[in-house]
Coordinates of all heavy atoms in Angstrom, one line a residue:
M1 N -2.9 20.5 26.5 CA -2.1 21.2 25.5 C -0.7 20.5 25.5 O -0.1 20.4 26.4 CB -2.1 22.6 25.9 CG -1.4 23.5 24.8 SD -2.4 23.9 23.4 CE -3.3 25.3 24.1
I2 N -0.3 20.4 24.2 CA 1.2 19.9 24.1 C 1.9 21.0 23.3 O 1.5 21.5 22.4 CB 1.3 18.6 23.3 CG1 0.3 17.6 23.8 CG2 2.8 18.0 23.4 CD1 0.3 16.2 23.0
K3 N 3.1 21.3 23.8 CA 4.0 22.2 23.0 C 5.0 21.4 22.2 O 5.7 20.6 22.7 CB 4.7 23.2 24.0 CG 3.8 24.2 24.6 CD 4.7 25.3 25.3 CE 3.8 26.2 26.2 NZ 2.8 26.9 25.4
L4 N 4.9 21.7 20.9 CA 5.8 20.9 20.0 C 6.7 21.9 19.3 O 6.4 23.0 19.0 CB 4.9 20.2 19.0 CG 4.0 19.0 19.5 CD1 3.2 18.5 18.4 CD2 4.8 17.9 20.2
E5 N 7.8 21.3 18.8 CA 8.7 22.1 18.0 C 8.9 21.2 16.7 O 9.3 20.1 16.8 CB 10.0 22.3 18.7 CG 10.9 23.3 17.9 CD 12.3 23.5 18.6 OE1 12.2 23.8 19.8 OE2 13.3 23.3 18.0
C6 N 8.7 21.8 15.6 CA 8.9 21.2 14.4 C 10.4 20.8 14.1 O 11.3 21.7 14.3 CB 8.4 22.1 13.2 SG 8.8 21.4 11.5
K7 N 10.7 19.6 13.8 CA 12.0 19.2 13.6 C 12.7 19.8 12.4 O 13.9 19.9 12.2 CB 12.1 17.7 13.6 CG 12.3 17.0 15.0 CD 12.6 15.5 14.8 CE 12.5 14.8 16.2 NZ 12.4 13.4 16.0
R8 N 11.9 20.1 11.5 CA 12.5 20.6 10.2 C 12.8 22.1 10.3 O 13.8 22.5 9.9 CB 11.5 20.4 9.0 CG 12.1 20.7 7.7 CD 11.1 20.7 6.6 NE 10.7 19.4 6.1 CZ 9.8 19.3 5.2 NH1 9.2 20.3 4.7 NH2 9.4 18.1 4.8
C9 N 11.8 22.9 10.8 CA 12.0 24.3 10.7 C 12.1 25.0 12.1 O 12.4 26.2 12.2 CB 10.9 25.0 9.9 SG 9.3 25.1 10.7
G10 N 11.8 24.2 13.1 CA 12.0 24.8 14.5 C 10.8 25.7 14.9 O 10.7 26.2 16.0
H11 N 9.7 25.7 14.1 CA 8.5 26.3 14.4 C 7.8 25.7 15.6 O 7.7 24.5 15.8 CB 7.5 26.2 13.2 CG 6.2 26.8 13.4 ND1 6.0 28.2 13.6 CD2 5.0 26.3 13.5 CE1 4.8 28.5 13.7 NE2 4.1 27.3 13.7
K12 N 7.5 26.6 16.6 CA 6.9 26.1 17.8 C 5.4 26.1 17.7 O 4.9 27.1 17.2 CB 7.3 26.9 19.1 CG 8.9 26.6 19.4 CD 9.2 27.2 20.7 CE 10.6 26.9 21.1 NZ 11.6 27.4 20.1
L13 N 4.7 25.1 18.1 CA 3.3 25.1 18.1 C 2.6 24.6 19.3 O 3.1 23.7 19.9 CB 2.8 24.5 16.8 CG 3.2 23.0 16.6 CD1 2.0 22.2 16.2 CD2 4.3 22.9 15.5
D14 N 1.5 25.1 19.6 CA 0.6 24.6 20.6 C -0.3 23.6 20.0 O -1.1 24.0 19.2 CB -0.2 25.7 21.3 CG 0.7 26.6 22.1 OD1 1.8 26.2 22.6 OD2 0.3 27.8 22.4
Y15 N -0.3 22.4 20.5 CA -1.1 21.4 19.9 C -2.2 21.1 20.9 O -1.9 20.5 22.0 CB -0.2 20.2 19.7 CG -0.9 18.9 19.2 CD1 -1.3 18.9 17.8 CD2 -1.1 17.9 20.0 CE1 -1.9 17.7 17.3 CE2 -1.8 16.7 19.5 CZ -2.1 16.7 18.2 OH -2.8 15.6 17.7
A16 N -3.4 21.5 20.5 CA -4.5 21.3 21.4 C -5.0 19.8 21.2 O -5.1 19.4 20.1 CB -5.7 22.2 21.1
C17 N -5.2 19.1 22.3 CA -5.5 17.7 22.2 C -6.8 17.6 21.4 O -7.8 18.1 21.8 CB -5.6 17.1 23.6 SG -4.2 17.5 24.6
P18 N -6.7 16.9 20.3 CA -7.8 16.8 19.4 C -8.9 15.7 19.9 O -8.6 14.9 20.7 CB -7.2 16.4 18.0 CG -6.1 15.6 18.4 CD -5.6 16.2 19.7
A19 N -10.0 15.7 19.2 CA -10.9 14.6 19.3 C -10.2 13.4 18.6 O -10.0 13.5 17.4 CB -12.2 14.9 18.7
L20 N -10.0 12.3 19.4 CA -9.2 11.3 18.8 C -10.1 10.0 18.4 O -11.1 9.8 19.1 CB -8.1 10.8 19.7 CG -7.0 11.8 20.0 CD1 -6.3 11.5 21.2 CD2 -6.1 11.9 18.8
E21 N -9.7 9.3 17.5 CA -10.4 8.0 17.2 C -9.6 6.9 17.9 O -8.5 6.6 17.4 CB -10.5 7.8 15.7 CG -11.6 8.6 15.1 CD -11.8 8.3 13.6 OE1 -11.5 7.1 13.2 OE2 -12.1 9.2 12.9
W22 N -10.1 6.4 18.9 CA -9.4 5.4 19.7 C -9.7 4.0 19.2 O -10.8 3.7 18.8 CB -9.8 5.5 21.2 CG -9.4 6.7 21.9 CD1 -10.0 7.9 21.8 CD2 -8.0 6.9 22.5 NE1 -9.2 8.8 22.5 CE2 -8.1 8.2 22.9 CE3 -7.0 6.2 22.7 CZ2 -7.0 8.8 23.6 CZ3 -5.9 6.7 23.4 CH2 -6.0 8.0 23.8
E23 N -8.6 3.2 19.3 CA -8.8 1.8 18.9 C -8.3 0.9 20.0 O -7.3 1.2 20.7 CB -7.8 1.5 17.7 CG -8.5 1.7 16.3 CD -7.5 1.4 15.2 OE1 -6.8 0.4 15.3 OE2 -7.4 2.4 14.4
T24 N -9.0 -0.1 20.2 CA -8.5 -1.1 21.2 C -7.4 -1.9 20.6 O -7.5 -2.5 19.5 CB -9.7 -2.1 21.6 OG1 -10.8 -1.3 21.9 CG2 -9.2 -3.0 22.6
V25 N -6.2 -1.9 21.2 CA -5.1 -2.6 20.7 C -4.8 -4.0 21.5 O -4.2 -4.9 20.9 CB -3.8 -1.8 20.7 CG1 -3.9 -0.7 19.7 CG2 -3.5 -1.1 22.1
N26 N -5.3 -4.0 22.7 CA -5.0 -5.2 23.4 C -5.9 -5.2 24.7 O -6.4 -4.2 25.1 CB -3.5 -5.1 23.9 CG -3.0 -6.5 24.1 OD1 -3.7 -7.5 24.1 ND2 -1.7 -6.6 24.4
S27 N -6.1 -6.4 25.2 CA -6.7 -6.5 26.5 C -6.1 -7.7 27.3 O -5.8 -8.7 26.8 CB -8.3 -6.7 26.4 OG -8.6 -7.8 25.9
T28 N -6.1 -7.5 28.6 CA -5.5 -8.5 29.4 C -6.5 -8.8 30.6 O -7.1 -7.9 31.1 CB -4.2 -8.0 30.2 OG1 -3.4 -7.2 29.3 CG2 -3.4 -9.2 30.7
E29 N -6.7 -10.1 30.8 CA -7.5 -10.5 31.9 C -6.8 -10.3 33.2 O -5.7 -10.7 33.4 CB -7.9 -11.9 31.7 CG -9.3 -12.2 31.3 CD -9.7 -13.7 31.3 OE1 -9.7 -14.3 32.3 OE2 -10.0 -14.1 30.1
R30 N -7.5 -9.6 34.1 CA -7.0 -9.4 35.4 C -8.0 -9.8 36.5 O -9.2 -10.1 36.1 CB -6.5 -8.0 35.7 CG -5.2 -7.7 34.9 CD -4.8 -6.3 34.8 NE -4.7 -5.7 36.2 CZ -4.1 -4.6 36.5 NH1 -3.6 -3.9 35.5 NH2 -4.0 -4.1 37.7
Q31 N -7.6 -9.8 37.7 CA -8.4 -10.3 38.7 C -9.8 -9.8 38.8 O -10.9 -10.4 39.0 CB -7.8 -10.1 40.1 CG -8.0 -11.3 41.0 CD -7.1 -11.2 42.2 OE1 -6.4 -10.2 42.4 NE2 -7.1 -12.2 43.1
Q32 N -9.9 -8.5 38.6 CA -11.2 -7.8 38.8 C -11.8 -7.4 37.4 O -12.7 -6.6 37.4 CB -11.1 -6.6 39.7 CG -10.4 -7.0 41.0 CD -10.6 -5.9 42.1 OE1 -11.6 -5.1 42.0 NE2 -9.6 -5.8 42.9
G33 N -11.3 -7.9 36.4 CA -11.9 -7.7 35.1 C -10.8 -7.5 34.1 O -9.6 -7.6 34.4
D34 N -11.1 -7.1 32.9 CA -10.2 -7.0 31.9 C -9.5 -5.5 31.9 O -10.2 -4.5 32.1 CB -10.8 -7.2 30.4 CG -11.3 -8.5 30.3 OD1 -10.8 -9.4 31.0 OD2 -12.0 -8.8 29.3
E35 N -8.3 -5.4 31.6 CA -7.7 -4.2 31.4 C -7.6 -4.0 29.8 O -7.1 -4.9 29.1 CB -6.3 -4.1 31.9 CG -5.6 -2.8 31.6 CD -4.5 -2.6 32.6 OE1 -3.9 -3.5 33.2 OE2 -3.9 -1.4 32.5
V36 N -8.2 -3.0 29.3 CA -8.2 -2.7 27.9 C -7.2 -1.6 27.5 O -7.1 -0.6 28.2 CB -9.6 -2.3 27.4 CG1 -9.7 -2.1 26.0 CG2 -10.6 -3.4 27.9
F37 N -6.4 -1.9 26.5 CA -5.4 -0.9 26.1 C -5.9 -0.3 24.8 O -6.4 -0.9 23.9 CB -4.1 -1.6 25.8 CG -3.5 -2.2 27.1 CD1 -3.9 -3.4 27.5 CD2 -2.6 -1.4 27.9 CE1 -3.3 -4.0 28.7 CE2 -2.1 -2.0 29.1 CZ -2.4 -3.3 29.5
L38 N -5.8 1.0 24.8 CA -6.3 1.8 23.6 C -5.2 2.7 23.1 O -4.3 3.1 23.8 CB -7.4 2.7 24.0 CG -8.7 1.9 24.6 CD1 -9.2 2.6 25.8 CD2 -9.7 1.9 23.5
S39 N -5.2 2.9 21.8 CA -4.3 3.9 21.3 C -4.9 4.6 20.2 O -6.0 4.3 19.6 CB -3.1 3.2 20.8 OG -3.2 2.7 19.4
A40 N -4.4 5.8 19.9 CA -4.9 6.7 18.8 C -3.7 7.4 18.2 O -2.8 7.7 18.9 CB -5.9 7.6 19.4
Q41 N -3.8 7.6 16.9 CA -2.7 8.3 16.2 C -3.3 9.6 15.6 O -4.4 9.6 15.2 CB -2.1 7.6 15.2 CG -1.0 6.5 15.7 CD -1.7 5.3 16.1 OE1 -2.6 4.8 15.4 NE2 -1.2 4.7 17.2
H42 N -2.6 10.6 15.6 CA -3.0 11.8 14.9 C -1.9 12.4 14.1 O -0.8 12.7 14.6 CB -3.6 12.9 15.9 CG -4.1 14.0 15.2 ND1 -3.8 15.3 15.5 CD2 -5.1 14.1 14.2 CE1 -4.5 16.1 14.7 NE2 -5.3 15.4 14.0
A43 N -2.1 12.6 12.8 CA -1.1 13.1 11.8 C -1.6 14.5 11.5 O -2.7 14.8 11.2 CB -0.9 12.2 10.7
F44 N -0.6 15.4 11.4 CA -1.0 16.7 10.9 C 0.3 17.4 10.3 O 1.4 16.8 10.5 CB -1.5 17.6 12.1 CG -0.6 17.6 13.3 CD1 0.2 18.8 13.4 CD2 -0.5 16.6 14.2 CE1 1.1 18.9 14.5 CE2 0.4 16.7 15.2 CZ 1.1 17.8 15.4
K45 N 0.1 18.5 9.8 CA 1.3 19.2 9.1 C 1.7 20.4 9.9 O 0.8 21.2 10.4 CB 1.0 19.5 7.7 CG 1.0 18.2 6.8 CD 0.8 18.6 5.4 CE 1.1 17.3 4.5 NZ 0.1 17.2 3.5
C46 N 3.0 20.7 9.8 CA 3.5 22.0 10.3 C 2.9 23.2 9.5 O 2.9 23.2 8.3 CB 5.0 22.1 10.3 SG 5.7 23.6 10.7
A47 N 2.3 24.1 10.3 CA 1.6 25.3 9.6 C 2.8 26.1 8.8 O 2.4 26.9 7.9 CB 0.9 26.1 10.5
N48 N 3.9 26.0 9.3 CA 5.0 26.9 8.7 C 5.7 26.2 7.5 O 5.9 26.9 6.5 CB 6.0 27.1 9.8 CG 7.0 28.2 9.4 OD1 6.6 29.3 8.9 ND2 8.3 28.0 9.6
C49 N 6.0 24.9 7.6 CA 6.8 24.3 6.5 C 6.2 23.1 5.8 O 6.7 22.5 4.9 CB 8.2 24.0 6.9 SG 8.2 22.6 8.1
G50 N 5.1 22.7 6.4 CA 4.4 21.5 5.8 C 4.9 20.1 6.2 O 4.5 19.2 5.7
N51 N 5.8 20.1 7.1 CA 6.5 18.9 7.6 C 5.4 18.1 8.3 O 4.6 18.6 9.1 CB 7.6 19.3 8.7 CG 8.3 18.0 9.2 OD1 8.4 17.1 8.5 ND2 8.8 18.2 10.4
E52 N 5.4 16.7 8.0 CA 4.4 15.9 8.6 C 4.8 15.5 10.0 O 5.9 15.0 10.3 CB 4.3 14.6 7.8 CG 3.5 14.9 6.5 CD 2.3 14.0 6.3 OE1 2.1 13.1 7.2 OE2 1.6 14.2 5.3
M53 N 3.9 15.5 11.0 CA 4.1 15.1 12.3 C 3.1 14.1 12.7 O 2.0 14.1 12.2 CB 4.0 16.3 13.3 CG 4.8 17.4 12.8 SD 4.6 18.8 14.0 CE 5.4 20.0 13.0
L54 N 3.5 13.1 13.5 CA 2.6 12.0 14.0 C 2.7 12.0 15.4 O 3.8 11.8 16.0 CB 3.0 10.8 13.3 CG 2.1 9.6 13.6 CD1 0.7 9.8 12.9 CD2 2.7 8.3 13.1
V55 N 1.6 12.0 16.1 CA 1.6 11.9 17.5 C 0.8 10.6 17.9 O -0.3 10.4 17.3 CB 0.9 13.2 18.2 CG1 0.9 13.0 19.7 CG2 1.5 14.4 17.7
D56 N 1.3 9.9 18.9 CA 0.7 8.7 19.3 C 0.2 8.8 20.7 O 1.0 9.1 21.6 CB 1.8 7.6 19.1 CG 1.2 6.2 19.2 OD1 1.0 5.7 20.4 OD2 1.0 5.6 18.2
F57 N -1.1 8.5 20.9 CA -1.6 8.5 22.3 C -1.9 7.1 22.8 O -2.4 6.3 21.9 CB -2.9 9.3 22.3 CG -2.7 10.7 21.8 CD1 -2.9 11.0 20.5 CD2 -2.5 11.7 22.7 CE1 -2.7 12.3 20.0 CE2 -2.4 13.0 22.3 CZ -2.5 13.4 21.0
S58 N -1.7 6.8 24.0 CA -2.2 5.5 24.5 C -2.6 5.6 25.9 O -2.1 6.5 26.7 CB -1.1 4.5 24.3 OG 0.0 4.8 25.1
C59 N -3.5 4.7 26.3 CA -3.9 4.6 27.7 C -4.6 3.4 27.9 O -4.8 2.6 27.0 CB -4.6 5.8 28.2 SG -6.4 5.9 27.6
S60 N -4.9 3.1 29.1 CA -5.7 1.8 29.4 C -6.8 2.1 30.4 O -6.7 2.9 31.2 CB -4.7 0.7 29.8 OG -4.3 1.0 31.2
E61 N -7.8 1.2 30.3 CA -8.9 1.2 31.2 C -8.9 -0.1 32.0 O -9.0 -1.1 31.5 CB -10.2 1.4 30.4 CG -11.4 1.6 31.4 CD -12.7 1.7 30.7 OE1 -12.9 1.0 29.6 OE2 -13.5 2.5 31.1
Y62 N -8.8 0.1 33.3 CA -8.9 -1.1 34.2 C -10.1 -0.8 35.1 O -10.1 0.2 35.8 CB -7.6 -1.3 34.9 CG -7.7 -2.4 35.9 CD1 -8.1 -3.7 35.4 CD2 -7.3 -2.4 37.2 CE1 -8.2 -4.8 36.3 CE2 -7.4 -3.5 38.1 CZ -7.8 -4.6 37.6 OH -7.8 -5.7 38.5
M63 N -11.1 -1.6 35.1 CA -12.4 -1.4 35.7 C -13.0 -0.3 34.9 O -12.4 0.7 34.6 CB -12.3 -0.9 37.1 CG -11.4 -1.7 38.0 SD -12.1 -3.3 38.6 CE -13.4 -2.6 39.7
P64 N -14.3 -0.6 34.6 CA -15.0 0.4 33.7 C -14.9 1.7 34.4 O -15.2 1.9 35.5 CB -16.4 -0.1 33.7 CG -16.2 -1.6 33.8 CD -15.1 -1.8 34.7
G65 N -14.5 2.8 33.7 CA -14.5 4.1 34.1 C -13.3 4.6 34.8 O -13.2 5.7 35.2
E66 N -12.4 3.7 34.9 CA -11.1 4.1 35.6 C -10.0 4.1 34.6 O -9.5 3.0 34.2 CB -10.8 3.0 36.7 CG -11.8 3.1 37.8 CD -11.3 3.3 39.2 OE1 -10.0 3.1 39.4 OE2 -12.0 3.5 40.1
W67 N -9.5 5.2 34.3 CA -8.4 5.3 33.4 C -7.1 5.4 34.0 O -6.9 6.1 35.0 CB -8.6 6.6 32.5 CG -9.7 6.5 31.6 CD1 -10.9 7.2 31.7 CD2 -9.8 5.7 30.4 NE1 -11.7 6.8 30.7 CE2 -11.1 5.9 29.9 CE3 -9.0 4.8 29.8 CZ2 -11.6 5.2 28.8 CZ3 -9.4 4.1 28.7 CH2 -10.7 4.3 28.2
N68 N -6.2 4.6 33.5 CA -4.8 4.7 34.0 C -4.2 6.0 33.2 O -4.6 6.3 32.2 CB -4.0 3.5 33.6 CG -4.3 2.4 34.5 OD1 -4.8 2.6 35.7 ND2 -4.1 1.1 34.1
Q69 N -3.2 6.5 33.9 CA -2.6 7.7 33.2 C -2.1 7.3 31.8 O -1.4 6.3 31.6 CB -1.4 8.1 34.1 CG -0.7 9.4 33.6 CD -1.6 10.6 33.5 OE1 -2.4 10.8 34.4 NE2 -1.5 11.3 32.4
G70 N -2.5 8.1 30.9 CA -2.1 7.8 29.5 C -0.7 8.4 29.2 O -0.1 9.0 29.9
E71 N -0.3 8.1 28.0 CA 0.9 8.5 27.5 C 0.8 9.2 26.1 O 0.0 8.9 25.3 CB 1.9 7.3 27.2 CG 2.9 7.1 28.3 CD 3.8 6.0 27.9 OE1 4.8 6.3 27.1 OE2 3.6 4.9 28.2
T72 N 1.6 10.2 25.9 CA 1.6 10.9 24.7 C 3.0 10.8 24.1 O 4.0 11.2 24.7 CB 1.2 12.4 24.7 OG1 0.1 12.5 25.6 CG2 1.0 13.0 23.5
V73 N 3.1 10.2 22.9 CA 4.4 10.2 22.3 C 4.4 10.8 21.0 O 3.5 10.5 20.1 CB 4.8 8.7 22.2 CG1 6.2 8.5 21.6 CG2 4.7 8.0 23.5
V74 N 5.4 11.6 20.7 CA 5.5 12.2 19.4 C 6.4 11.1 18.5 O 7.5 10.9 18.9 CB 6.2 13.5 19.3 CG1 6.3 14.0 17.9 CG2 5.3 14.5 20.1
V75 N 5.7 10.6 17.6 CA 6.5 9.5 16.8 C 7.4 10.0 15.8 O 8.5 9.5 15.6 CB 5.4 8.5 16.2 CG1 6.1 7.5 15.3 CG2 4.5 7.9 17.2
S76 N 7.0 11.1 15.1 CA 7.9 11.5 14.1 C 7.6 13.1 13.8 O 6.5 13.6 14.0 CB 7.8 10.8 12.8 OG 6.6 10.9 12.3
G77 N 8.6 13.8 13.3 CA 8.5 15.1 12.8 C 8.6 16.2 13.8 O 8.7 17.3 13.4
A78 N 8.4 15.9 15.1 CA 8.4 17.0 16.0 C 9.0 16.5 17.3 O 9.3 15.4 17.6 CB 7.0 17.5 16.3
K79 N 9.4 17.6 18.1 CA 10.0 17.4 19.4 C 9.1 17.9 20.4 O 8.4 19.0 20.3 CB 11.4 18.2 19.4 CG 12.3 17.8 20.5 CD 13.6 18.5 20.2 CE 13.6 19.9 20.6 NZ 14.9 20.6 20.4
T80 N 8.9 17.2 21.5 CA 8.0 17.6 22.6 C 8.7 18.6 23.5 O 9.7 18.3 24.0 CB 7.5 16.4 23.3 OG1 7.0 15.4 22.5 CG2 6.4 16.9 24.3
I81 N 8.2 19.7 23.7 CA 8.7 20.7 24.6 C 8.0 20.5 26.0 O 8.7 20.6 27.0 CB 8.6 22.1 24.2 CG1 9.2 22.2 22.8 CG2 9.2 23.1 25.2 CD1 9.0 23.6 22.1
E82 N 6.7 20.3 25.9 CA 6.0 20.2 27.1 C 4.7 19.4 26.8 O 4.1 19.6 25.8 CB 5.5 21.7 27.5 CG 5.3 21.8 29.1 CD 4.8 23.3 29.3 OE1 5.7 24.2 29.0 OE2 3.7 23.5 29.8
D83 N 4.4 18.5 27.7 CA 3.3 17.6 27.4 C 2.3 17.8 28.6 O 2.6 17.3 29.7 CB 3.8 16.1 27.3 CG 2.6 15.2 27.0 OD1 1.4 15.7 27.1 OD2 2.8 14.0 26.8
D84 N 1.2 18.4 28.4 CA 0.3 18.7 29.5 C -1.1 18.3 28.9 O -2.1 19.0 29.2 CB 0.3 20.2 29.7 CG -0.3 20.4 31.2 OD1 -0.5 19.5 31.8 OD2 -0.6 21.6 31.4
C85 N -1.1 17.3 28.2 CA -2.4 16.9 27.4 C -3.2 16.0 28.3 O -2.7 15.0 28.8 CB -2.0 16.2 26.1 SG -3.4 16.1 25.0
E86 N -4.4 16.4 28.6 CA -5.3 15.5 29.3 C -6.3 15.0 28.2 O -7.2 15.6 27.8 CB -6.1 16.3 30.4 CG -5.1 16.6 31.5 CD -5.8 17.1 32.7 OE1 -7.0 16.9 32.8 OE2 -5.1 17.7 33.5
F87 N -6.1 13.7 28.0 CA -7.1 13.1 27.0 C -7.7 11.9 27.7 O -7.2 11.2 28.5 CB -6.3 12.7 25.8 CG -5.1 11.8 26.1 CD1 -5.3 10.4 26.1 CD2 -3.9 12.3 26.2 CE1 -4.2 9.6 26.3 CE2 -2.7 11.5 26.5 CZ -3.0 10.2 26.5
K88 N -9.0 11.7 27.3 CA -9.7 10.5 27.8 C -10.5 9.9 26.7 O -11.3 10.6 26.1 CB -10.6 11.0 28.9 CG -10.0 11.5 30.1 CD -10.2 10.6 31.3 CE -9.7 11.1 32.6 NZ -8.3 11.5 32.6
P89 N -10.2 8.7 26.4 CA -11.0 8.0 25.4 C -12.4 7.9 25.9 O -12.7 7.9 27.1 CB -10.4 6.7 25.2 CG -9.1 6.7 25.9 CD -9.2 7.8 26.9
P90 N -13.4 7.7 25.0 CA -14.8 7.4 25.5 C -14.7 6.0 26.1 O -13.9 5.2 25.8 CB -15.6 7.3 24.2 CG -14.6 7.1 23.1 CD -13.3 7.7 23.6
H91 N -15.6 5.8 27.1 CA -15.6 4.5 27.8 C -16.1 3.5 27.0 O -16.9 3.7 26.1 CB -16.3 4.6 29.1 CG -15.6 5.5 30.2 ND1 -14.3 5.1 30.6 CD2 -15.9 6.6 30.7 CE1 -14.0 6.0 31.4 NE2 -14.8 6.9 31.5
Q92 N -15.5 2.3 27.2 CA -15.9 1.1 26.3 C -17.2 0.6 26.8 O -17.5 0.5 27.9 CB -14.8 0.0 26.5 CG -13.4 0.5 26.1 CD -13.3 1.0 24.7 OE1 -13.4 0.3 23.8 NE2 -13.1 2.3 24.5
N93 N -17.9 0.1 25.8 CA -19.2 -0.6 26.1 C -18.9 -2.0 26.3 O -18.3 -2.7 25.4 CB -20.2 -0.5 24.9 CG -20.6 1.0 24.7 OD1 -20.9 1.7 25.7 ND2 -20.6 1.4 23.5
R94 N -19.1 -2.5 27.5 CA -19.0 -4.0 27.7 C -19.7 -4.4 28.9 O -20.3 -3.6 29.6 CB -17.5 -4.3 27.8 CG -16.7 -3.5 28.8 CD -15.3 -3.8 28.8 NE -14.5 -2.8 29.5 CZ -13.6 -3.1 30.4 NH1 -13.3 -4.3 30.7 NH2 -13.0 -2.2 31.0
Ligands
ZN1 ZN1 8.0 23.2 10.3

């Protein structure tokens, strides 16, 4: 769960981590295999004023099945009050 505050109207909302569509953005060869970087964006509107918000998620997988701690960044429209989102992309087929 992420707690956000709308930058336009100050409305506070609980943002439940949604099902995301992850995209591979990069991969790096490392000693024990590739590290794959993934990101996902989710845009939505403030229920109170209709302000558009965009949240950006990213994380990486090094060794199949091992996720590095991901990051959640609010790109626009809102301020993060608390970020307690546990998200995991589906594992990559390779
Ligand atoms: Zn708002």
Side-chain angles (χ1 to χ4, degrees):
M1 185 82 79
I2 311 174
K3 284 190 194 301
L4 297 174
E5 186 182 312
C6 174
K7 271 188 188 163
R8 188 195 283 176
C9 72
H11 179 65
K12 290 188 176 61
L13 56 133
D14 290 335
Y15 178 75
C17 309
L20 296 161
E21 284 184 29
W22 292 90
E23 269 177 52
T24 306
V25 287
N26 205 352
S27 67
T28 320
E29 252 181 64
R30 286 172 56 166
Q31 218 169 5
Q32 305 195 36
D34 291 348
E35 178 166 14
V36 181
F37 297 87
L38 298 135
S39 84
Q41 281 83 39
H42 185 234
F44 58 99
K45 286 188 173 137
C46 174
N48 192 46
C49 74
N51 181 29
E52 287 234 0
M53 307 179 194
L54 185 69
V55 186
D56 191 279
F57 301 86
S58 65
C59 73
S60 72
E61 186 185 37
Y62 179 51
M63 309 285 291
E66 298 230 349
W67 291 107
N68 287 336
Q69 183 61 44
E71 258 189 83
T72 313
V73 180
V74 178
V75 177
S76 65
K79 199 169 74 183
T80 311
I81 301 169
E82 206 179 301
D83 182 355
D84 197 13
C85 194
E86 287 187 22
F87 54 88
K88 295 249 188 299
H91 288 300
Q92 304 299 293
N93 296 318
R94 53 187 166 131

